Amino acid sequence: MKKIICILLILIPATLFNSCSEFLEENPVDRYVVSNVYTDESGAVASVTSIYNGLYSLYERLMFLVFDLPVDDEKNGRGMPNQYLQNLEYMRYTPNNTFVRNFWRDSYAGIFRANNALEQIPNIEMDETLKTRLMNEAKFLRALYYFNLVRAFGDVPLPLSTAVDETVTGRMPLADVYAQIISDLNDAKALPKSYSGSDLGRATSGAASVLLGYVYVTMKNWSAAVTELGAVVNNEGSYGYGLWDDVKDNYRVATENGKECIFAVQFDSPPSNGNGDMQLSGPKYALQAAYKTQQIPGRNQMNEADIPIEELYAQFSDKDQRKFVYFSKEFTSPIDPTIYKVDLPIYTKAWDENEFNAPNSAVNMFVLRYVDALLLYAEALNESGDPAAAYPHLQRVRSRAYHDDPDGILTGEKTKENLTEWIRRERWMELVHEGKRWFDLVRWGILKERMFEHAENESQFTESFEAAQKLQIKENYKDAMILMPIPQTELDANQLLVQNPGWE
């Protein structure tokens, strides 16, 4: 699919692929405008590919800025003196935060493209099997966009067409939004189990089932979650799923779409979309202190903007292979033999060893990995009252991380309470820098507790000024933060919207 997106980016009218913020800044600003009409099979494919394209801005950075930065996963590096991001890190954000606004707008831009495709494709004369598949892909993607929105904001507008009276509406009840997500994903379960060639990376039936299981976990519908996730996990071979022995294979271009990939945003080198996470996370100022340079020779344009929380990094044992895949303190140059060492951990999930120019990384961003399915299934089993059944799936994740070293074996009674603690810890460690931490803390009902702990713990790792800022999290926190604020620009543009309680 990397190739097909690259081709379509060239062939489709440029107006379709404006940045999402530009897409929503047309006049009038309170509604979407249909600018492309599709009349043949290639147009139908293009309309659905445009929905995938909307994921780039979200999963290249916005997901972890909005949902990892305000919690105990990530912090701003010296390369990001942005006040809106500082406000997210220290829980000072407001309805005027530009990154929360962009997340809302980019998500609804993707939904609009999905609605546009679902309206137009039925009227196109084309292969019926392909038509059905494309419509189910559009439904999967619409469900993903809505799932992110409803978890972030609670009740949200639920446009299902491009008609103006649907795009400018008030907020719909949570139950209605989830019902639509479930309906779309049930339809998407008819998608193929796998693809090949240029279609590699498109949504599959397995992705629909796992995402639906994730929805049920979020809704605390444990029996439905066990059924949905179990249907995949207990038949993983038929889906081609499994865990790599080497976790690094998830982040190698040659293997990233392999057995652990359920669904990922497909990045590639120019003229396609490069993954800028390598640029934003890569070392810069830490190099200056040690080597009097801000760039590793042959590694250009790194900015050290998004870096891990020290408290998080400290959780990893040296026997845990994830520590040296998800982070690094040592970097090689492609043009000299020097190993450049820095004194702070750097995220390296998007690190492309073959790329000289950091913004052009071809490493994908995961939306769902199979390890996520295993941990969600373990959680659903445990919450259903069967911790003994949950344990093997959790231990399988640990055993891969530790290469079967005895230190990786979870010890203690397999009670529901212990399994809960173990599962939560593994989700934190396994899914770092994937935009899921805030969602987890909120659905577990421990956001406030964890952030107060984090403020105290992280202050011990940092210099006095940053320590004081971290401790202020306890003063800045408010109970309303279990939901994100509706962006003020959206409230101003749509008088039918109302703000979340506590953010007025």
Side-chain angles (χ1 to χ4, degrees):
M1 189 175 177
K2 291 188 179 189
K3 291 181 180 178
I4 198 169
I5 287 178
C6 175
I7 294 169
L8 287 168
L9 282 169
I10 298 170
L11 295 179
I12 297 173
T15 55
L16 185 63
F17 289 101
N18 287 342
S19 72
C20 293
S21 59
E22 293 171 334
F23 187 80
L24 291 176
E25 286 169 5
E26 301 182 22
N27 287 316
V29 295
D30 62 342
R31 67 199 63 180
Y32 300 96
V33 179
V34 178
S35 57
N36 294 81
V37 177
Y38 303 100
T39 58
D40 57 18
E41 185 171 295
S42 63
V45 173
S47 70
V48 173
T49 301
S50 77
I51 317 170
Y52 286 98
N53 187 72
L55 297 173
Y56 286 126
S57 63
L58 286 172
Y59 283 91
E60 185 177 25
R61 197 175 186 219
L62 271 176
M63 288 300 292
F64 52 81
L65 286 183
V66 179
F67 303 111
D68 287 343
L69 182 58
V71 285
D72 55 354
D73 196 278
E74 179 177 322
K75 63 182 179 180
N76 291 292
R78 291 179 61 190
M80 190 45 63
N82 180 295
Q83 188 60 53
Y84 292 111
L85 293 179
Q86 296 290 331
N87 289 342
L88 283 167
E89 179 181 350
Y90 299 115
M91 303 197 97
R92 299 189 299 250
Y93 54 93
T94 72
N96 292 307
N97 189 280
T98 59
F99 296 94
V100 176
R101 178 201 68 192
N102 290 343
F103 166 73
W104 172 287
R105 290 190 173 187
D106 289 8
S107 297
Y108 274 109
I111 288 167
F112 175 81
R113 294 177 183 189
N115 290 341
N116 191 35
L118 288 166
E119 287 177 346
Q120 296 195 40
I121 291 174
N123 301 320
I124 297 174
E125 292 187 9
M126 58 181 291
D127 178 81
E128 290 298 321
T129 300
L130 178 59
K131 176 186 289 190
T132 299
R133 193 200 86 189
L134 291 172
M135 291 182 66
N136 285 332
E137 287 182 64
K139 289 180 180 180
F140 171 86
L141 293 167
R142 181 169 67 179
L144 174 61
Y145 284 115
Y146 271 127
F147 184 45
N148 288 337
L149 281 165
V150 76
R151 289 183 296 163
F153 300 103
D155 298 350
V156 291
L158 185 64
L160 299 176
S161 80
T162 59
V164 171
D165 60 351
E166 281 212 36
T167 58
V168 185
T169 67
R171 300 167 68 178
M172 297 297 290
L174 207 66
D176 292 355
V177 183
Y178 273 119
Q180 184 61 49
I181 292 169
I182 291 168
S183 175
D184 280 349
L185 290 175
N186 275 320
D187 287 349
K189 284 161 60 177
L191 286 165
K193 283 188 175 181
S194 63
Y195 299 91
S196 60
S198 61
D199 284 333
L200 193 67
R202 290 185 176 275
T204 63
S205 60
S209 288
V210 172
L211 184 57
L212 182 54
Y214 196 174
V215 170
Y216 286 135
V217 167
T218 303
M219 297 174 69
K220 295 182 169 52
N221 186 339
W222 303 117
S223 60
V226 167
T227 299
E228 202 64 48
L229 293 164
V232 175
V233 172
N234 296 323
N235 298 282
E236 64 180 37
S238 69
Y239 289 91
Y241 294 150
L243 297 183
W244 293 111
D245 292 335
D246 183 355
V247 70
K248 180 65 176 175
D249 283 341
N250 286 302
Y251 310 101
R252 293 186 172 105
V253 174
T255 50
E256 62 187 355
N257 281 313
K259 60 184 178 180
E260 198 164 334
C261 177
I262 293 178
F263 185 67
V265 180
Q266 303 287 309
F267 288 91
D268 205 355
S269 301
S272 190
N273 291 62
N275 188 346
D277 184 59
M278 180 177 174
Q279 174 188 21
L280 291 159
S281 298
K284 181 176 181 179
Y285 301 99
L287 293 167
Q288 185 175 23
Y291 301 99
K292 311 305 181 193
T293 180
Q294 291 188 346
Q295 297 292 338
I296 297 170
R299 304 282 190 203
N300 302 316
Q301 302 183 60
M302 292 181 293
N303 201 47
E304 201 176 301
D306 307 323
I307 62 176
I309 292 291
E310 293 279 359
E311 181 197 13
L312 166 63
Y313 183 71
Q315 306 301 310
F316 288 82
S317 162
D318 285 349
K319 293 184 178 181
D320 186 339
Q321 67 159 318
R322 296 173 298 190
K323 181 176 184 177
F324 305 102
V325 174
Y326 299 169
F327 319 94
S328 185
K329 289 186 175 183
E330 296 185 0
F331 298 87
T332 59
S333 165
I335 61 175
D336 75 34
T338 304
I339 296 177
Y340 291 82
K341 299 182 180 182
V342 295
D343 62 357
L344 78 167
I346 298 293
Y347 284 126
T348 48
K349 281 189 170 181
W351 193 266
D352 187 345
E353 292 289 351
N354 298 315
E355 184 54 62
F356 284 22
N357 295 312
N360 298 338
S361 170
V363 177
N364 292 342
M365 281 296 196
F366 285 103
V367 177
L368 291 168
R369 283 191 289 134
Y370 190 57
V371 72
D372 202 357
L374 291 173
L375 292 172
L376 289 168
Y377 187 40
E379 183 175 346
L381 287 167
N382 189 48
E383 293 295 335
S384 296
D386 197 351
Y391 177 82
H393 304 291
L394 174 62
Q395 186 55 58
R396 182 180 177 189
V397 175
R398 291 275 296 182
S399 295
R400 190 271 294 273
Y402 280 81
H403 283 160
D404 295 317
D405 187 281
D407 283 0
I409 305 299
L410 291 163
T411 57
E413 294 185 39
K414 298 177 181 62
T415 63
K416 180 180 178 182
E417 292 73 19
N418 282 345
L419 264 291
T420 295
E421 179 183 345
W422 295 340
I423 290 166
R424 290 178 179 181
R425 180 181 173 85
E426 287 308 303
R427 281 191 67 83
W428 188 24
M429 298 176 72
E430 186 69 53
L431 302 173
V432 298
H433 204 51
E434 294 189 20
K436 295 180 179 175
R437 183 60 173 167
W438 181 87
F439 293 124
D440 280 349
L441 294 176
V442 168
R443 71 183 175 82
W444 292 330
I446 61 171
L447 178 64
K448 181 177 182 179
E449 170 191 340
R450 178 79 272 270
M451 290 311 296
F452 277 39
E453 292 175 351
H454 167 63
E456 293 285 351
N457 294 344
E458 185 69 8
S459 68
Q460 306 303 310
F461 287 101
T462 58
E463 297 178 358
S464 58
F465 175 77
E466 187 179 348
Q469 295 288 298
K470 286 294 181 183
L471 287 171
Q472 285 182 14
I473 287 173
K474 296 166 68 174
E475 300 174 14
N476 298 336
Y477 182 88
K478 52 186 178 182
D479 291 340
M481 287 176 170
I482 59 169
L483 292 174
M484 288 288 165
I486 304 296
Q488 188 61 48
T489 52
E490 302 304 316
L491 295 169
D492 293 341
N494 180 359
Q495 300 302 310
L496 298 175
L497 290 178
V498 294
Q499 184 58 272
N500 276 320
W503 289 108
E504 297 91 347

